[in-house]
Amino acid sequence: MIEVVGLKKRFKLTKDHKIDKHEDIDPRQDSDYFNSVRDVSFHCEKGEVLGLLGPNGAGKTTTLRMLSTALLPDNGKIHINGVDVVKSPLLARKKIGFLSGSTGLYGRLTAKENIEYFGRLHGMNKKTLKNRTEELFEILDMNSFVHKRAEHLSTGMKQKTNIARAVVHSPEVVVLDEPTTGLDIMTTQTVIKFIQDLKAQGTPVIFSTHHLDEIDLLCERVSVINEGLSCFNGTLAEFKETGKSQVLNQAFLNILQEQSHV
């Protein structure tokens, strides 16, 4: 399982980003810092899929980057199956499969070479790596383009390659930042099926998305972040109840509106 408690992260403002005291400002911003994540908590158990929701700029990606060890929290705890991610980041990285929208492929390497390179970084031996890549190529329907250079791949091909690269070492937890953004229907369905397979294998999956239909299809649990704060954590049924609607889009908007009145 993965457990996140009281995460906080702020960034020092440059002179150009400091605001005049008479301006209306984001509640996360003070004179010297932007508090991107002010207090975020959630958990995801074995075999669960947690949908992470929030408006653009809410702090979702910053939160996921802290989970991946790419950013160090200013405060809070992250545990993956008993491992303290903050205190033992190298050990934690072995347990995490992380897909970020900002992580590019090496353009002059083929899809296969990109994935194999990351497998070797994780210390996988030749036989294990061969078996694992062949398995992923089949699951993600990649065999038609594995020998193409990444710079010549379509958006969907690149995303499949990114996903395979993120999970080549069979991680204990998978974290996906908007994995279906910009994909066509067929590629999106392949990605959704892959997440369902991870779930069936007992792997906890956390993924951020703006597509509420994916939440309804995949998730047991939902966490909503707004302005750097957790404003909902619970089951999908509790999400609908708290949001006072069986329509997920409306439930989401109602939860955000409720928070704005607190």
Side-chain angles (χ1 to χ4, degrees), residues 58-99:
K60 301 187 304 297
T61 294
T62 300
T63 297
L64 295 182
R65 291 186 69 197
M66 287 189 279
L67 265 63
S68 74
T69 76
L71 283 177
L72 182 67
D74 295 323
N75 206 346
K77 299 178 181 179
I78 307 169
H79 289 96
I80 296 177
N81 292 335
V83 173
D84 189 318
V85 171
V86 178
K87 292 182 178 179
S88 305
L90 292 179
L91 179 57
R93 285 171 199 164
K94 297 178 181 179
K95 296 179 177 292
I96 301 169
F98 180 62
L99 172 72

Side-chain angles (χ1 to χ4, degrees), residues 84-196:
D84 189 318
V85 171
V86 178
K87 292 182 178 179
S88 305
L90 292 179
L91 179 57
R93 285 171 199 164
K94 297 178 181 179
K95 296 179 177 292
I96 301 169
F98 180 62
L99 172 72
S100 168
S102 62
T103 304
L105 299 168
Y106 295 106
R108 294 183 65 83
L109 297 181
T110 66
K112 184 173 185 285
E113 288 168 341
N114 268 280
I115 298 163
E116 289 176 338
Y117 174 64
F118 276 79
R120 289 194 293 271
L121 288 179
H122 282 289
M124 299 175 69
N125 64 49
K126 189 174 182 179
K127 181 178 180 181
T128 301
L129 181 56
K130 181 178 183 296
N131 291 338
R132 178 59 172 163
T133 53
E134 288 178 354
E135 177 187 30
L136 289 171
F137 296 158
E138 188 67 30
I139 293 172
L140 291 168
D141 191 22
M142 296 177 62
N143 284 307
S144 63
F145 62 84
V146 293
H147 298 297
K148 286 186 178 181
R149 282 186 178 182
E151 61 190 358
H152 300 311
L153 299 179
S154 68
T155 299
M157 292 173 182
K158 287 179 180 177
Q159 190 69 326
K160 288 181 180 182
T161 305
N162 274 320
I163 291 171
R165 182 179 65 175
V167 300
V168 66
H169 59 302
S170 301
E172 296 177 23
V173 171
V174 174
V175 180
L176 306 172
D177 190 5
E178 299 186 13
T180 61
T181 298
L183 303 185
D184 62 31
I185 293 173
M186 295 302 295
T187 306
T188 296
Q189 188 56 43
T190 299
V191 173
I192 288 173
K193 175 63 166 59
F194 182 68
I195 294 173
Q196 290 172 327

Side-chain angles (χ1 to χ4, degrees), residues 12 15-16 22 53 86 120 138 157 216 251:
K12 183 79 172 178
K15 183 178 179 179
D16 292 339
H22 300 295
L53 298 176
V86 178
R120 289 194 293 271
E138 188 67 30
M157 292 173 182
D216 203 17

